[in-house]
Amino acid sequence: MLDVLIIGAGPVGLACALETQRKGLKVAIAEKGALVNSLVGYPTNMEFFSTPELLEIGGYPFPTAHYKPLREDALDYYQRVARDEKLDIRLHEKVLKLDGEQGNFTVSTSKGAIPTRNVILATGFYDLPNLLGVPGEDLPHVSHYYKEPYQHVLQHVVVIGAKNSSAKAALQLTRAGAKVTLIVRGPEVSNSVKYWIRPDLINRIAEGRITAHFNSTVTAIHPEAIEILTPDGPLTIPTDFVYALTGYHPDEALLGRFRVEPDPTDEACAPLFNPQTHETSRRGVFVAGTVCGGRATSRWFIENGRHHAQLIAAYLAGQVLGSAGQ
């Protein structure tokens, strides 16, 4: 019987494991993919917006030669922390459902059953893209994840979206020799795009290296073209590849199977939880990291989500160890 099972081996999940294990609790992590699976899926050499000290967990220094660390720096750092702390991490084990009650839960996974007294959901949101809901979105040349530009040299590539990921992808693709068209639902490049990226993108649009259609939406995707609706009417654009970088959302189905209720006052469908302990409406089930924000995925990041681990660990240590001593 575990004291705590953490679902998700991202940076916040690892932080939860570190803090609870250091409190003397018996802890394991179940992860449906690789260690820090979201970071594995990030673009090659992606630069974090944060400085190294804001990404640190468990008091481990984050060594890097860069002012803002790269994806590869973070992958090395988090696997080193997990190894040094000898965390019990069960990779490629998908969690399916939760039965029982606090103190006597059974978590069913793709590999069996795990008994545990408490559960922490640190599942993030990167695995589930926000779909366009248009015909052709499931074609093989359409992706909701951008990795690197080199396979698209001399190709016509459509990028959908106007926030940071879309802006960086459009710029990288252009500089690698792709012919880029940017489709933006709003009237301009989002003001949330980082201050050193936004002017670069606006200038590339102004000089004609990137074609941009604002106030436009995608209506259908075909093997060799994409249809959009612009303020001037329908338009068909020839394309070899489509990156629909329209954001992501938490696994609401998993939260539902765990009987975690949404906050009825929150438009983003964030889970209802106690901000002092992060315990949800189901006793013994806790949330940590970006999943706490629901569909408002910009509320929590590694920088502030990692601190949830300390709150949860302190509360659980008092509950588990206190009851054991009675």
Side-chain angles (χ1 to χ4, degrees):
M1 172 72 74
L2 296 172
D3 293 316
V4 189
L5 178 68
I6 298 158
I7 302 173
V12 174
L14 294 178
C16 289
L18 291 175
E19 297 297 338
T20 49
Q21 185 166 277
R22 289 174 178 178
K23 295 289 187 182
L25 304 183
K26 187 177 181 181
V27 184
I29 303 175
E31 164 60 56
K32 68 178 179 181
L35 185 70
V36 286
N37 195 62
S38 293
L39 274 64
V40 172
Y42 283 178
T44 304
N45 292 322
M46 187 209 77
E47 183 182 69
F48 281 87
F49 298 134
S50 301
T51 51
E53 64 273 12
L54 295 178
L55 302 176
E56 293 174 352
I57 59 173
Y60 282 83
F62 189 150
T64 175
H66 306 95
Y67 172 64
K68 293 179 179 177
L70 303 181
R71 160 189 175 266
E72 288 71 14
D73 297 328
L75 288 170
D76 287 342
Y77 170 74
Y78 291 118
Q79 65 87 15
R80 179 174 61 84
V81 172
R83 186 179 64 244
D84 288 353
E85 289 282 330
K86 298 181 175 59
L87 298 178
D88 179 357
I89 305 176
R90 306 171 189 192
L91 299 175
H92 304 285
E93 185 166 357
K94 185 176 182 179
V95 169
L96 304 174
K97 66 175 183 174
L98 175 68
D99 295 307
E101 58 185 17
Q102 184 178 33
N104 190 28
F105 284 128
T106 298
V107 177
S108 299
T109 76
S110 57
K111 295 183 178 180
I114 304 173
T116 182
R117 294 182 175 87
N118 299 278
V119 174
I120 301 174
L121 287 162
T123 47
F125 60 84
Y126 193 63
D127 292 330
L128 294 169
N130 297 328
L131 299 180
L132 298 169
V134 300
E137 188 171 11
D138 58 348
L139 288 171
H141 72 298
V142 180
S143 177
H144 292 277
Y145 297 92
Y146 169 77
K147 198 71 176 177
E148 57 183 17
Y150 307 110
Q151 64 177 315
H152 301 301
V153 174
L154 302 180
Q155 284 192 315
H156 292 274
V157 181
V158 169
V159 177
I160 304 168
K163 294 191 177 180
N164 285 296
S165 57
S166 305
K168 294 186 75 172
L171 290 168
Q172 283 193 2
L173 286 160
T174 299
R175 294 191 168 111
K179 301 167 186 177
V180 177
T181 299
L182 186 65
I183 310 299
V184 182
R185 185 172 57 183
E188 62 180 359
V189 176
S190 173
N191 287 320
S192 66
V193 174
K194 297 301 180 181
Y195 67 87
W196 64 91
I197 300 173
R198 190 171 187 270
D200 189 2
L201 179 60
I202 291 172
N203 288 335
R204 301 298 74 75
I205 294 170
E207 69 183 14
R209 291 186 65 190
I210 296 175
T211 301
H213 296 280
F214 295 100
N215 294 310
S216 300
T217 55
V218 176
T219 55
I221 302 172
H222 305 291
E224 297 179 353
I226 185 169
E227 294 181 24
I228 68 171
L229 184 62
T230 75
D232 298 323
L235 181 65
T236 300
I237 303 169
T239 183
D240 298 302
F241 204 90
V242 176
Y243 283 107
L245 305 179
T246 49
Y248 309 91
H249 62 271
D251 191 342
E252 294 164 351
L254 180 65
L255 292 170
R257 291 199 301 274
F258 274 45
R259 302 207 312 270
V260 172
E261 298 175 6
D263 185 342
T265 66
D266 191 283
E267 294 181 355
C269 297
L272 186 65
F273 65 93
N274 182 330
Q276 273 72 51
T277 65
H278 281 252
E279 189 171 27
T280 68
S281 55
R282 186 173 185 181
R283 291 201 60 191
V285 178
F286 300 77
V287 286
T290 53
V291 70
C292 296
R295 287 184 172 253
T297 53
S298 59
R299 289 181 184 173
W300 301 101
F301 302 95
I302 299 172
E303 302 94 298
N304 53 8
R306 59 187 176 150
H307 301 302
H308 298 168
Q310 298 167 349
L311 295 174
I312 298 171
Y315 178 73
L316 284 177
Q319 292 290 307
V320 175
L321 299 181
S323 61
Q326 292 177 355

